[in-house]
Amino acid sequence: YRYLVDTSSIRQTNPTVYSTSSGENLTVPRSTAEGAATWTGEGSNLTASDPTFSSVTLGAHKVAKLIQVSTELLQDTGFDVVGFMAEHSGRNLGIAVDAAYVGGTGTNQPTGFLQTAVVALTAATGVGSTSGMPTGGTVVGADVLVELYHSVIPQYRPRSSFVMNDQTIKVIRKLKDSTGQYLWQPALVAGQPDTILGRPVFADPHMPTIGVSTTPIAFGDFGGYFIRDVTPIRFERSDDFA
């Protein structure tokens, strides 16, 4: 499980994680419109202001890896074969679930956040836009990131993160301000993510590459993305299967 979490970039953005011991559907309430608080004089009646609720159903999907190992190899006491397989499987499962967290269809797998995220900014197509930041149009260069940053309401920005693939990160890291200073800020503490515009950046290989009609950069509070774990993860062995 630890290797699964370490392999998934989206897990590191602090999403909301539910752990359940069984896999029946889990209904999670969601507010689609908030009510308003109002100042009210002493002895005056309160005015009702109800939020609008909907719900999201979190199902359970199975992801697995099957490994066949010879009895002779397992009897080799000079190497922890089972431990190696657990580590290897954890990484493979982490890659599989992370791909679903980003672009999953919701059919026999989780629904990825790109399926329902709002497209906050459509940059101009043309020169630079198919391989780097747009160089023509109303929003160019690093201004794309600024526009995207301010498309999220202020209450969510302090907990928000950027997510993009490594090819996009290479483009972003080369951006400079008018004095020639890089906008990208390396992390000052080992193990912490680098930042841009003061917010952490996570590299995820499953994000689309910069190009026409793609969404290569995501920004938001990933606490609003729910992940459900049905625990414990099973690691089983059969000497009779093969």
Side-chain angles (χ1 to χ4, degrees):
Y1 183 83
R2 177 168 58 87
Y3 286 111
L4 183 156
V5 172
D6 289 346
T7 304
S8 170
S9 301
I10 303 305
R11 287 267 189 171
Q12 297 169 38
T13 62
N14 294 319
T16 299
V17 178
Y18 286 106
S19 293
T20 60
S21 59
S22 57
E24 69 273 4
N25 286 344
L26 179 66
T27 301
V28 179
R30 175 175 63 177
S31 173
T32 57
E34 297 290 342
T38 57
W39 293 101
T40 306
E42 181 178 354
S44 301
N45 293 329
L46 293 174
T47 302
S49 181
D50 300 331
T52 302
F53 284 109
S54 65
S55 63
V56 175
T57 300
L58 302 181
H61 307 287
K62 180 170 67 176
V63 60
K65 181 176 176 61
L66 174 66
I67 305 174
Q68 295 194 49
V69 181
S70 68
T71 301
E72 290 86 350
L73 183 59
L74 287 176
Q75 290 174 340
D76 182 0
T77 58
F79 183 72
D80 181 11
V81 177
V82 175
F84 172 80
M85 289 190 296
E87 177 183 343
H88 186 76
S89 298
R91 284 200 299 263
N92 289 160
L93 293 174
I95 292 170
V97 297
D98 190 77
Y101 296 155
V102 174
T105 63
T107 301
N108 294 327
Q109 60 184 250
T111 300
F113 68 85
L114 287 183
Q115 301 293 331
T116 55
V118 175
V119 178
L121 173 66
T122 301
T125 59
V127 178
S129 64
T130 58
S131 59
M133 305 302 283
T135 55
T138 57
V139 183
V140 299
D143 290 353
V144 170
L145 298 173
V146 175
E147 290 285 341
L148 182 60
Y149 177 91
H150 286 280
S151 70
V152 173
I153 63 175
Q155 290 85 345
Y156 291 153
R157 285 182 216 147
R159 299 185 300 272
S160 292
S161 305
F162 287 97
V163 178
M164 61 192 82
N165 72 21
D166 204 51
Q167 293 300 312
T168 305
I169 286 178
K170 286 200 298 183
V171 172
I172 302 300
R173 293 191 69 162
K174 297 175 183 177
L175 295 175
K176 301 177 183 178
D177 62 19
S178 58
T179 64
Q181 299 297 312
Y182 286 102
L183 300 178
W184 184 276
Q185 295 296 317
L188 299 178
V189 180
Q192 295 297 312
D194 298 329
T195 63
I196 191 165
L197 301 180
R199 302 310 310 148
V201 182
F202 294 94
D204 195 294
H206 304 107
M207 285 292 291
T209 301
I210 292 176
V212 177
S213 300
T214 66
T215 50
I217 303 174
F219 178 72
D221 177 6
F222 283 83
Y225 184 69
F226 289 21
I227 293 174
R228 185 215 186 152
D229 288 338
V230 179
T231 57
I233 291 178
R234 304 203 322 259
F235 192 74
E236 300 179 350
R237 167 179 167 173
S238 171
D239 292 333
D240 304 319
F241 174 75

Coordinates of all heavy atoms in Angstrom, one line a residue, residues 49-136:
S49 N -31.9 30.4 4.6 CA -31.0 30.5 3.4 C -30.4 29.1 3.3 O -29.3 28.8 3.8 CB -29.9 31.6 3.6 OG -29.1 31.6 2.4
D50 N -31.1 28.2 2.6 CA -30.7 26.8 2.5 C -29.7 26.6 1.4 O -29.8 27.1 0.3 CB -31.9 25.9 2.3 CG -33.0 26.0 3.4 OD1 -32.6 26.3 4.5 OD2 -34.2 25.8 3.1
P51 N -28.7 25.7 1.7 CA -27.8 25.3 0.6 C -28.5 24.3 -0.3 O -29.6 23.8 0.0 CB -26.7 24.6 1.3 CG -27.3 24.1 2.6 CD -28.3 25.1 3.0
T52 N -28.0 24.2 -1.5 CA -28.6 23.2 -2.5 C -27.7 22.0 -2.5 O -26.5 22.1 -2.7 CB -28.7 23.8 -3.9 OG1 -29.5 25.0 -3.8 CG2 -29.3 22.8 -4.8
F53 N -28.3 20.8 -2.2 CA -27.5 19.6 -2.1 C -27.7 18.7 -3.2 O -28.8 18.6 -3.8 CB -27.8 18.8 -0.8 CG -27.2 19.5 0.5 CD1 -28.0 20.1 1.4 CD2 -25.8 19.4 0.7 CE1 -27.5 20.7 2.5 CE2 -25.3 20.0 1.8 CZ -26.1 20.6 2.8
S54 N -26.7 18.0 -3.6 CA -26.8 16.8 -4.5 C -25.9 15.7 -3.9 O -25.5 15.8 -2.7 CB -26.3 17.1 -5.9 OG -25.0 17.4 -6.0
S55 N -25.6 14.7 -4.6 CA -24.8 13.6 -4.0 C -24.0 13.0 -5.1 O -24.3 13.1 -6.3 CB -25.7 12.6 -3.3 OG -26.5 11.9 -4.3
V56 N -22.9 12.4 -4.7 CA -22.0 11.6 -5.6 C -21.9 10.2 -5.0 O -21.8 10.0 -3.8 CB -20.6 12.2 -5.6 CG1 -19.7 11.4 -6.5 CG2 -20.7 13.6 -6.2
T57 N -22.0 9.2 -5.9 CA -21.9 7.8 -5.4 C -20.6 7.3 -5.8 O -20.1 7.3 -6.9 CB -23.0 6.9 -6.1 OG1 -24.3 7.4 -5.8 CG2 -22.9 5.5 -5.7
L58 N -19.9 6.9 -4.7 CA -18.5 6.3 -4.9 C -18.7 4.7 -4.9 O -19.1 4.1 -3.9 CB -17.6 6.7 -3.7 CG -17.4 8.1 -3.5 CD1 -16.4 8.4 -2.4 CD2 -16.8 8.8 -4.8
G59 N -18.4 4.1 -6.1 CA -18.5 2.7 -6.2 C -17.2 2.1 -5.8 O -16.3 2.7 -5.2
A60 N -17.0 0.8 -6.0 CA -15.8 0.1 -5.8 C -15.4 -0.6 -7.0 O -16.2 -1.3 -7.6 CB -15.9 -0.9 -4.6
H61 N -14.1 -0.5 -7.4 CA -13.6 -1.2 -8.6 C -12.4 -2.0 -8.2 O -11.6 -1.6 -7.3 CB -13.2 -0.1 -9.7 CG -14.4 0.8 -10.0 ND1 -15.5 0.4 -10.7 CD2 -14.6 2.1 -9.7 CE1 -16.3 1.5 -10.9 NE2 -15.7 2.5 -10.2
K62 N -12.1 -3.0 -9.0 CA -11.0 -3.9 -8.7 C -9.8 -3.7 -9.6 O -10.0 -3.7 -10.8 CB -11.5 -5.3 -8.7 CG -10.3 -6.4 -8.4 CD -10.9 -7.8 -8.2 CE -11.4 -8.3 -9.5 NZ -11.8 -9.7 -9.3
V63 N -8.6 -3.5 -9.1 CA -7.4 -3.5 -9.9 C -6.5 -4.5 -9.3 O -6.4 -4.6 -8.0 CB -6.8 -2.1 -9.9 CG1 -6.4 -1.6 -8.5 CG2 -5.6 -2.0 -10.8
A64 N -5.8 -5.3 -10.1 CA -5.0 -6.4 -9.6 C -3.8 -6.7 -10.5 O -3.8 -6.2 -11.6 CB -5.9 -7.7 -9.5
K65 N -2.9 -7.4 -9.9 CA -1.7 -7.9 -10.7 C -1.5 -9.3 -10.3 O -1.4 -9.7 -9.1 CB -0.5 -7.0 -10.3 CG 0.7 -7.4 -11.1 CD 1.9 -6.5 -10.8 CE 3.2 -7.0 -11.5 NZ 3.0 -7.0 -13.0
L66 N -1.3 -10.1 -11.3 CA -1.0 -11.6 -11.2 C 0.4 -11.8 -11.6 O 0.9 -11.5 -12.6 CB -2.0 -12.4 -12.0 CG -1.7 -13.9 -12.1 CD1 -2.0 -14.5 -10.7 CD2 -2.6 -14.6 -13.1
I67 N 1.2 -12.5 -10.6 CA 2.6 -12.8 -10.9 C 2.8 -14.3 -10.7 O 2.3 -14.9 -9.7 CB 3.5 -12.1 -9.9 CG1 3.3 -10.6 -10.0 CG2 5.0 -12.4 -10.2 CD1 4.1 -9.8 -8.9
Q68 N 3.4 -15.0 -11.6 CA 3.7 -16.4 -11.5 C 5.3 -16.5 -11.2 O 6.1 -16.0 -12.0 CB 3.3 -17.2 -12.7 CG 1.8 -17.2 -12.9 CD 1.4 -18.2 -13.9 OE1 1.8 -19.4 -13.9 NE2 0.6 -17.8 -14.9
V69 N 5.6 -17.2 -10.2 CA 7.0 -17.4 -9.8 C 7.2 -18.9 -9.5 O 6.4 -19.6 -8.9 CB 7.3 -16.6 -8.5 CG1 8.7 -16.8 -8.1 CG2 7.0 -15.2 -8.7
S70 N 8.4 -19.4 -9.9 CA 8.6 -20.8 -9.8 C 8.9 -21.2 -8.3 O 9.4 -20.3 -7.5 CB 9.8 -21.2 -10.6 OG 11.0 -20.6 -10.1
T71 N 8.6 -22.4 -7.9 CA 8.9 -22.8 -6.6 C 10.4 -22.8 -6.3 O 10.8 -22.4 -5.1 CB 8.4 -24.3 -6.4 OG1 7.0 -24.3 -6.6 CG2 8.7 -24.8 -5.0
E72 N 11.2 -23.1 -7.3 CA 12.7 -23.0 -7.1 C 13.1 -21.6 -6.7 O 14.0 -21.4 -5.8 CB 13.4 -23.5 -8.3 CG 13.2 -24.9 -8.6 CD 12.0 -25.2 -9.4 OE1 11.1 -24.3 -9.5 OE2 11.8 -26.4 -9.9
L73 N 12.5 -20.6 -7.3 CA 12.9 -19.2 -7.0 C 12.5 -18.8 -5.6 O 13.2 -18.2 -4.8 CB 12.3 -18.3 -8.0 CG 12.7 -16.8 -7.9 CD1 14.2 -16.6 -7.9 CD2 12.0 -15.9 -8.9
L74 N 11.3 -19.3 -5.2 CA 10.8 -18.9 -3.8 C 11.6 -19.6 -2.8 O 11.7 -19.1 -1.6 CB 9.3 -19.4 -3.7 CG 8.3 -18.5 -4.4 CD1 6.9 -19.1 -4.3 CD2 8.3 -17.1 -3.9
Q75 N 12.3 -20.7 -3.1 CA 13.1 -21.4 -2.1 C 14.5 -20.9 -2.0 O 15.2 -21.3 -1.1 CB 13.1 -22.9 -2.5 CG 11.8 -23.7 -2.3 CD 11.9 -25.1 -2.8 OE1 12.7 -25.4 -3.6 NE2 10.9 -25.9 -2.4
D76 N 14.8 -19.9 -2.8 CA 16.1 -19.2 -2.7 C 16.1 -18.3 -1.5 O 15.5 -17.2 -1.5 CB 16.3 -18.4 -4.0 CG 17.7 -17.8 -4.0 OD1 18.4 -18.0 -3.0 OD2 18.0 -17.1 -5.0
T77 N 16.7 -18.8 -0.4 CA 16.7 -18.0 0.8 C 17.6 -16.8 0.8 O 17.6 -16.0 1.8 CB 17.0 -18.9 2.0 OG1 18.3 -19.5 1.8 CG2 16.0 -20.0 2.2
G78 N 18.4 -16.6 -0.3 CA 19.3 -15.5 -0.3 C 18.7 -14.2 -0.8 O 19.4 -13.2 -0.8
F79 N 17.4 -14.2 -1.1 CA 16.8 -13.0 -1.7 C 15.3 -13.0 -1.2 O 14.6 -14.1 -1.3 CB 16.9 -13.0 -3.2 CG 16.3 -11.8 -3.8 CD1 17.0 -10.6 -3.7 CD2 15.1 -11.8 -4.5 CE1 16.4 -9.4 -4.3 CE2 14.6 -10.7 -5.1 CZ 15.2 -9.5 -5.0
D80 N 14.8 -11.9 -0.8 CA 13.4 -11.8 -0.4 C 12.5 -11.6 -1.6 O 12.2 -10.5 -2.0 CB 13.3 -10.6 0.6 CG 11.8 -10.4 1.1 OD1 11.0 -11.4 0.9 OD2 11.5 -9.4 1.7
V81 N 12.1 -12.7 -2.2 CA 11.4 -12.7 -3.4 C 10.0 -12.1 -3.2 O 9.5 -11.3 -3.9 CB 11.3 -14.1 -4.1 CG1 10.4 -14.0 -5.3 CG2 12.6 -14.6 -4.4
V82 N 9.3 -12.5 -2.1 CA 8.0 -12.1 -1.8 C 8.0 -10.6 -1.5 O 7.1 -9.8 -2.0 CB 7.4 -12.9 -0.6 CG1 6.0 -12.3 -0.2 CG2 7.3 -14.3 -1.0
G83 N 9.0 -10.1 -0.8 CA 9.1 -8.6 -0.5 C 9.3 -7.9 -1.8 O 8.7 -6.8 -2.0
F84 N 10.1 -8.4 -2.7 CA 10.3 -7.7 -4.0 C 9.1 -7.7 -4.8 O 8.7 -6.7 -5.4 CB 11.4 -8.5 -4.7 CG 11.6 -8.0 -6.2 CD1 12.3 -6.9 -6.4 CD2 11.0 -8.7 -7.2 CE1 12.5 -6.4 -7.7 CE2 11.1 -8.2 -8.5 CZ 11.9 -7.1 -8.8
M85 N 8.3 -8.8 -4.8 CA 7.0 -8.8 -5.5 C 6.0 -7.8 -4.9 O 5.2 -7.2 -5.7 CB 6.4 -10.2 -5.6 CG 7.2 -11.2 -6.4 SD 6.4 -12.7 -6.7 CE 6.3 -13.3 -5.0
A86 N 6.0 -7.7 -3.6 CA 5.1 -6.7 -3.0 C 5.4 -5.3 -3.4 O 4.5 -4.5 -3.7 CB 5.1 -6.9 -1.5
E87 N 6.7 -5.0 -3.4 CA 7.1 -3.6 -3.8 C 6.8 -3.4 -5.3 O 6.3 -2.3 -5.7 CB 8.6 -3.5 -3.6 CG 9.2 -2.2 -4.1 CD 10.7 -2.1 -3.9 OE1 11.3 -2.9 -3.1 OE2 11.4 -1.2 -4.5
H88 N 7.1 -4.4 -6.1 CA 6.9 -4.3 -7.6 C 5.4 -4.1 -7.9 O 5.0 -3.3 -8.7 CB 7.4 -5.5 -8.3 CG 7.4 -5.5 -9.7 ND1 8.3 -4.8 -10.5 CD2 6.5 -6.1 -10.6 CE1 8.0 -4.9 -11.8 NE2 6.9 -5.7 -11.9
S89 N 4.6 -4.9 -7.2 CA 3.1 -4.9 -7.4 C 2.6 -3.5 -6.9 O 1.7 -3.0 -7.6 CB 2.5 -6.0 -6.7 OG 2.9 -7.3 -7.2
G90 N 3.1 -3.0 -5.8 CA 2.6 -1.8 -5.3 C 2.8 -0.6 -6.3 O 1.9 0.2 -6.5
R91 N 4.0 -0.6 -6.9 CA 4.3 0.4 -7.9 C 3.3 0.2 -9.1 O 2.8 1.2 -9.7 CB 5.7 0.3 -8.4 CG 6.7 0.9 -7.4 CD 8.0 1.3 -8.0 NE 8.7 0.1 -8.6 CZ 9.6 -0.6 -8.0 NH1 10.0 -0.3 -6.7 NH2 10.1 -1.7 -8.5
N92 N 3.2 -1.0 -9.6 CA 2.3 -1.2 -10.8 C 0.9 -0.8 -10.5 O 0.2 -0.2 -11.3 CB 2.3 -2.7 -11.2 CG 3.6 -3.1 -11.8 OD1 4.0 -4.3 -11.8 ND2 4.4 -2.2 -12.3
L93 N 0.4 -1.1 -9.3 CA -1.0 -0.7 -8.9 C -1.1 0.8 -8.8 O -2.1 1.4 -9.2 CB -1.4 -1.4 -7.6 CG -1.6 -2.9 -7.6 CD1 -1.8 -3.4 -6.2 CD2 -2.7 -3.3 -8.5
G94 N 0.0 1.4 -8.3 CA 0.0 2.9 -8.1 C -0.1 3.5 -9.5 O -0.8 4.5 -9.7
I95 N 0.6 3.0 -10.5 CA 0.6 3.6 -11.8 C -0.8 3.4 -12.4 O -1.4 4.3 -13.0 CB 1.6 2.9 -12.7 CG1 3.0 3.2 -12.3 CG2 1.4 3.2 -14.2 CD1 4.1 2.4 -12.9
A96 N -1.4 2.2 -12.2 CA -2.8 2.0 -12.8 C -3.8 2.9 -12.2 O -4.7 3.4 -12.9 CB -3.1 0.5 -12.6
V97 N -3.8 3.0 -10.8 CA -4.9 3.8 -10.2 C -4.6 5.3 -10.5 O -5.6 6.1 -10.6 CB -5.0 3.5 -8.7 CG1 -5.3 2.1 -8.4 CG2 -3.7 3.9 -8.0
D98 N -3.4 5.7 -10.6 CA -3.1 7.1 -10.9 C -3.6 7.5 -12.2 O -4.2 8.6 -12.4 CB -1.6 7.4 -10.8 CG -1.3 8.9 -10.8 OD1 -1.5 9.6 -9.8 OD2 -0.9 9.4 -11.9
A99 N -3.5 6.6 -13.2 CA -4.0 6.9 -14.6 C -5.5 7.1 -14.5 O -6.1 7.9 -15.2 CB -3.6 5.8 -15.5
A100 N -6.2 6.3 -13.7 CA -7.6 6.4 -13.5 C -8.0 7.7 -12.8 O -9.0 8.3 -13.1 CB -8.2 5.2 -12.8
Y101 N -7.2 8.1 -11.8 CA -7.5 9.3 -11.1 C -7.5 10.5 -12.0 O -8.3 11.5 -11.8 CB -6.5 9.5 -9.9 CG -6.5 8.5 -8.8 CD1 -5.3 8.3 -8.1 CD2 -7.6 7.7 -8.5 CE1 -5.3 7.4 -7.1 CE2 -7.6 6.8 -7.5 CZ -6.4 6.6 -6.8 OH -6.4 5.7 -5.8
V102 N -6.7 10.5 -13.0 CA -6.6 11.6 -13.9 C -7.6 11.5 -15.0 O -8.4 12.4 -15.3 CB -5.1 11.6 -14.6 CG1 -5.1 12.7 -15.6 CG2 -4.1 11.9 -13.5
G103 N -7.7 10.4 -15.7 CA -8.5 10.3 -16.9 C -9.5 9.1 -16.9 O -10.0 8.8 -18.0
G104 N -9.7 8.5 -15.8 CA -10.6 7.3 -15.7 C -12.0 7.6 -16.3 O -12.5 8.7 -16.1
T105 N -12.6 6.6 -16.9 CA -13.9 6.8 -17.5 C -15.1 6.6 -16.6 O -16.2 7.0 -16.9 CB -14.1 5.7 -18.7 OG1 -14.0 4.4 -18.2 CG2 -12.9 5.9 -19.7
G106 N -14.8 5.9 -15.4 CA -15.9 5.6 -14.5 C -16.5 4.3 -14.8 O -17.4 3.8 -14.0
T107 N -16.2 3.6 -15.9 CA -16.7 2.3 -16.2 C -15.6 1.3 -15.8 O -14.5 1.2 -16.4 CB -17.0 2.2 -17.7 OG1 -18.0 3.1 -18.1 CG2 -17.5 0.8 -18.0
N108 N -15.9 0.5 -14.8 CA -15.0 -0.5 -14.3 C -13.7 0.1 -13.8 O -12.7 -0.6 -13.6 CB -14.6 -1.6 -15.3 CG -15.8 -2.5 -15.7 OD1 -16.7 -2.7 -14.9 ND2 -15.9 -2.9 -17.0
Q109 N -13.7 1.4 -13.5 CA -12.6 2.1 -13.0 C -13.1 3.4 -12.4 O -14.2 3.9 -12.7 CB -11.5 2.3 -14.0 CG -12.0 3.2 -15.2 CD -10.9 3.3 -16.3 OE1 -10.4 4.4 -16.5 NE2 -10.7 2.2 -17.0
P110 N -12.3 4.1 -11.6 CA -12.7 5.4 -11.0 C -12.9 6.4 -12.2 O -12.4 6.3 -13.3 CB -11.5 5.8 -10.2 CG -10.8 4.5 -9.8 CD -11.0 3.7 -11.0
T111 N -13.6 7.5 -11.8 CA -13.8 8.6 -12.7 C -12.7 9.6 -12.5 O -12.5 10.1 -11.4 CB -15.2 9.3 -12.5 OG1 -16.2 8.3 -12.7 CG2 -15.4 10.5 -13.4
G112 N -11.9 9.9 -13.5 CA -10.8 10.8 -13.4 C -11.3 12.3 -13.3 O -12.4 12.6 -13.7
F113 N -10.5 13.1 -12.6 CA -10.9 14.5 -12.4 C -11.0 15.3 -13.7 O -11.8 16.2 -13.8 CB -10.0 15.2 -11.4 CG -8.6 15.5 -11.9 CD1 -8.3 16.6 -12.6 CD2 -7.6 14.6 -11.6 CE1 -7.0 16.8 -13.1 CE2 -6.3 14.8 -12.0 CZ -6.0 15.9 -12.8
L114 N -10.3 14.9 -14.7 CA -10.4 15.6 -16.0 C -11.8 15.4 -16.7 O -12.2 16.2 -17.5 CB -9.3 15.1 -17.0 CG -7.9 15.5 -16.7 CD1 -6.9 15.0 -17.8 CD2 -7.8 17.1 -16.6
Q115 N -12.5 14.3 -16.3 CA -13.8 14.1 -16.9 C -14.8 15.1 -16.5 O -15.8 15.4 -17.2 CB -14.3 12.7 -16.5 CG -13.4 11.6 -16.9 CD -13.4 11.4 -18.4 OE1 -14.3 11.7 -19.1 NE2 -12.2 10.9 -18.9
T116 N -14.7 15.7 -15.3 CA -15.7 16.6 -14.7 C -15.1 18.0 -14.4 O -15.9 18.9 -14.0 CB -16.3 16.0 -13.5 OG1 -15.3 15.7 -12.5 CG2 -17.1 14.8 -13.8
A117 N -13.8 18.2 -14.5 CA -13.2 19.5 -14.2 C -13.7 20.6 -15.2 O -13.9 20.3 -16.4 CB -11.7 19.4 -14.2
V118 N -13.8 21.8 -14.7 CA -14.2 22.9 -15.5 C -13.0 23.4 -16.3 O -11.9 23.6 -15.8 CB -14.8 24.1 -14.7 CG1 -15.0 25.3 -15.5 CG2 -16.0 23.7 -13.9
V119 N -13.2 23.6 -17.6 CA -12.1 24.2 -18.4 C -12.1 25.7 -18.2 O -13.0 26.4 -18.7 CB -12.3 23.9 -19.9 CG1 -11.2 24.6 -20.8 CG2 -12.3 22.4 -20.2
A120 N -11.2 26.2 -17.4 CA -11.2 27.6 -16.9 C -10.6 28.5 -17.9 O -10.9 29.7 -18.0 CB -10.4 27.7 -15.6
L121 N -9.7 28.0 -18.7 CA -9.0 28.9 -19.7 C -8.7 28.1 -20.9 O -8.1 27.1 -20.9 CB -7.7 29.4 -19.0 CG -6.8 30.2 -20.0 CD1 -7.4 31.5 -20.4 CD2 -5.4 30.5 -19.3
T122 N -9.1 28.7 -22.1 CA -8.7 28.2 -23.4 C -7.7 29.1 -24.0 O -8.1 30.2 -24.4 CB -10.0 28.0 -24.3 OG1 -10.9 27.1 -23.6 CG2 -9.6 27.4 -25.6
A123 N -6.5 28.7 -24.1 CA -5.5 29.6 -24.6 C -5.6 29.6 -26.1 O -6.1 28.7 -26.8 CB -4.1 29.1 -24.2
A124 N -5.0 30.7 -26.7 CA -5.1 30.9 -28.2 C -4.3 29.8 -28.9 O -3.2 29.4 -28.4 CB -4.6 32.2 -28.6
T125 N -4.8 29.3 -30.0 CA -4.0 28.4 -30.8 C -3.1 29.1 -31.8 O -3.3 30.3 -32.0 CB -5.0 27.4 -31.6 OG1 -5.8 28.3 -32.5 CG2 -5.8 26.6 -30.7
G126 N -2.2 28.5 -32.3 CA -1.3 29.2 -33.3 C 0.2 29.0 -32.8 O 0.5 28.0 -32.3
V127 N 1.0 30.0 -33.1 CA 2.4 29.9 -32.8 C 2.7 29.6 -31.3 O 2.2 30.3 -30.5 CB 3.1 31.2 -33.2 CG1 4.6 31.1 -32.9 CG2 2.9 31.5 -34.7
G128 N 3.4 28.6 -31.1 CA 3.8 28.2 -29.7 C 2.8 27.4 -29.0 O 3.2 26.7 -28.0
S129 N 1.6 27.3 -29.4 CA 0.6 26.7 -28.6 C 0.6 25.2 -28.7 O 0.0 24.5 -27.9 CB -0.8 27.2 -29.0 OG -1.2 26.9 -30.3
T130 N 1.2 24.6 -29.8 CA 1.2 23.2 -29.9 C 2.4 22.5 -29.2 O 2.4 21.3 -29.1 CB 1.2 22.8 -31.4 OG1 2.4 23.4 -32.0 CG2 0.0 23.3 -32.1
S131 N 3.4 23.3 -28.8 CA 4.5 22.7 -28.1 C 5.0 23.5 -26.9 O 5.8 23.0 -26.2 CB 5.7 22.6 -29.1 OG 6.0 23.9 -29.6
G132 N 4.4 24.7 -26.7 CA 4.8 25.5 -25.6 C 3.7 26.5 -25.2 O 2.6 26.3 -25.7
M133 N 4.1 27.5 -24.4 CA 3.1 28.5 -24.0 C 2.7 29.3 -25.2 O 3.6 29.6 -26.0 CB 3.6 29.3 -22.9 CG 4.1 28.5 -21.7 SD 2.8 27.5 -21.0 CE 1.9 28.7 -20.1
P134 N 1.5 29.8 -25.3 CA 1.0 30.6 -26.5 C 1.9 31.9 -26.6 O 2.1 32.5 -25.6 CB -0.4 30.9 -26.2 CG -0.9 29.8 -25.3 CD 0.3 29.5 -24.5
T135 N 2.2 32.2 -27.8 CA 3.0 33.4 -28.1 C 2.1 34.4 -28.8 O 2.6 35.5 -29.2 CB 4.2 33.1 -28.9 OG1 3.9 32.5 -30.1 CG2 5.2 32.3 -28.1
G136 N 0.9 34.1 -29.1 CA -0.1 35.0 -29.8 C -1.4 34.8 -29.2 O -1.8 33.8 -28.7

